Amino acid sequence: MKKQILKYSVLITLFFFFGSFAFSSTVYFSPKVGLKNGIVREYVFDNNHKLSQLDWNVQNQIDFGFETDFFVENLYFGFDFSVGLYNFSGFMEDRDWFYSSKPDELTRFSSHDLIVTQNLDFSFDFGIILSLKGDKSKRQLSKNHGLENYISAFFQFNFYSYNFEGVKGWYDYKDKNETGTFEDYGKVISYNPNFTSLMLGVEGNFNFWDNFSIKTVIATSFLTKGICIDNHWLSKTEFIDSIEGNLFLKGILELSYNFNRKNALVFGGKVEKLPILKGVSYQNGMLSGAIGGADSFFYEFYLSYRIRML
């Protein structure tokens, strides 16, 4: 999956890049590196009673990627791709509440080291520029600002995927009056959440002083679907949750120092919030009768270098 998305994102970028020669267009390419922190929570419900919650805490995940932007008259196209390094920093906690008559009584708890073996984020934007500030002659004569002032409304397709592994750790099972460790085991549990969102948003770029500009992005989804795969390796049990909802929030803020019209150093921050999604849950290929769920929250700081290609 990761290799296919990378291949298609590069092909689409090249298609628009070479196609832009046929139009009056501007093209930007921005390699970037980022540091991400956050959490993905996995849930199991029996009606309104929460049976289980697994917290996958990601710490200091390093991402590499690139962003491309195409401006053709009053249209805007954008691609954003990033992939994370194999990361040993983080932890996972697993909690169970088995007794509906005592919903606040924790039945089982375990804690594990977290390994992130996959972190993939890809988005495609299509927007319409709503407003341009300043007259055209001044924009064309600008020596330092690579991007013009603009505000755009856009549609976005967004996909992100992780692959987590909980290894080693310890447990306290009160229902069995049993405690111990998983030190003799490698991978105890793994989780592979995959989310696809269709989003609408607003983006703006505003130049100030001679060399600085600020860019803001606010977006929300009108449809989000997820396929989340959980494997308990010691019991050889696989759970697959098919979940969906309407809300996924994203905010981006970038500050750029423009060396000239073709080169800029960009420092950015991004926040993503996925409220809880729920849906059907399968256990070893059969409907389990439980309700599966997931939510997430991530924040990231990144550094990129924007190059004007055309």
Side-chain angles (χ1 to χ4, degrees):
M1 174 66 76
K2 182 166 61 176
K3 292 182 179 179
Q4 289 180 332
I5 291 178
L6 176 60
K7 179 179 70 174
Y8 288 125
S9 63
V10 171
L11 289 176
I12 293 173
T13 299
L14 292 175
F15 172 79
F16 277 96
F17 175 74
F18 289 109
S20 63
F21 284 96
F23 303 94
S24 176
S25 61
T26 305
V27 180
Y28 299 92
F29 177 77
S30 306
K32 60 181 180 179
V33 59
L35 189 66
K36 179 183 291 186
N37 287 268
I39 185 171
V40 178
R41 296 184 184 91
E42 175 189 0
Y43 301 97
V44 180
F45 297 94
D46 181 10
N47 293 321
N48 293 324
H49 172 56
K50 181 167 64 175
L51 291 172
S52 181
Q53 177 178 323
L54 294 83
D55 298 341
W56 302 84
N57 294 273
V58 178
Q59 297 178 329
N60 301 321
Q61 173 72 42
I62 298 176
D63 288 347
F64 290 95
F66 66 89
E67 181 179 349
T68 54
D69 299 286
F70 304 84
F71 294 86
V72 182
E73 300 296 335
N74 287 332
L75 299 179
Y76 158 77
F77 303 90
F79 301 95
D80 194 338
F81 175 86
S82 64
V83 61
L85 293 180
Y86 197 94
N87 183 20
F88 290 91
S89 177
F91 63 96
M92 188 276 277
E93 294 179 338
D94 184 357
R95 295 174 174 86
D96 297 315
W97 299 266
F98 287 161
Y99 305 124
S100 58
S101 59
K102 300 178 181 179
D104 297 325
E105 182 177 312
L106 185 64
T107 312
R108 294 186 180 184
F109 175 84
S110 65
S111 179
H112 309 268
D113 296 332
L114 174 62
I115 301 176
V116 182
T117 60
Q118 175 182 293
N119 174 17
L120 178 65
D121 197 332
F122 169 81
S123 65
F124 165 72
D125 303 345
F126 167 72
I128 299 176
I129 297 175
L130 303 177
S131 173
L132 287 172
K133 294 184 178 181
D135 62 76
K136 185 175 181 180
S137 60
K138 290 182 179 179
R139 294 200 304 274
Q140 289 177 335
L141 293 175
S142 172
K143 295 181 180 180
N144 297 322
H145 291 128
L147 284 174
E148 299 174 352
N149 294 314
Y150 70 88
I151 298 176
S152 71
F154 65 87
F155 165 84
Q156 181 180 91
F157 169 84
N158 189 91
F159 172 81
Y160 74 90
S161 173
Y162 294 90
N163 194 9
F164 302 131
E165 293 182 0
V167 300
K168 299 185 177 181
W170 61 276
Y171 63 90
D172 182 2
Y173 294 165
K174 293 182 178 179
D175 61 322
K176 294 184 175 182
N177 195 27
E178 180 181 324
T179 61
T181 70
F182 296 104
E183 295 303 316
D184 295 332
Y185 302 94
K187 182 167 56 176
V188 179
I189 184 172
S190 63
Y191 188 49
N192 175 219
N194 304 273
F195 296 103
T196 302
S197 296
L198 301 179
M199 310 185 73
L200 295 174
V202 178
E203 175 178 317
N205 185 79
F206 309 97
N207 298 322
F208 62 97
W209 295 337
D210 290 333
N211 298 84
F212 290 91
S213 60
I214 190 168
K215 176 181 174 181
T216 59
V217 180
I218 299 175
T220 182
S221 69
F222 56 90
L223 178 63
T224 298
K225 292 190 174 183
I227 298 294
C228 305
I229 305 171
D230 176 311
N231 280 282
H232 288 60
W233 295 101
L234 300 185
S235 62
K236 298 181 180 180
T237 306
E238 181 182 69
F239 299 93
I240 300 178
D241 298 334
S242 178
I243 57 181
E244 65 178 73
N246 297 322
L247 194 60
F248 174 51
L249 304 172
K250 179 187 295 188
I252 297 173
L253 181 65
E254 293 183 348
L255 177 66
S256 302
Y257 178 80
N258 302 278
F259 299 102
N260 48 53
R261 294 203 68 189
K262 291 191 174 183
N263 298 273
L265 185 66
V266 181
F267 176 75
K270 179 169 67 171
V271 176
E272 295 177 329
K273 171 64 176 177
L274 177 67
I276 187 168
L277 308 179
K278 294 182 179 181
V280 296
S281 182
Y282 299 86
Q283 180 176 344
N284 292 334
M286 304 287 289
L287 277 172
S288 67
I291 298 172
D295 64 15
S296 68
F297 174 78
F298 283 97
Y299 64 93
E300 179 179 12
F301 298 102
Y302 56 89
L303 189 68
S304 69
Y305 193 85
R306 187 175 66 236
I307 305 168
R308 180 170 176 171
M309 309 296 290
L310 293 174

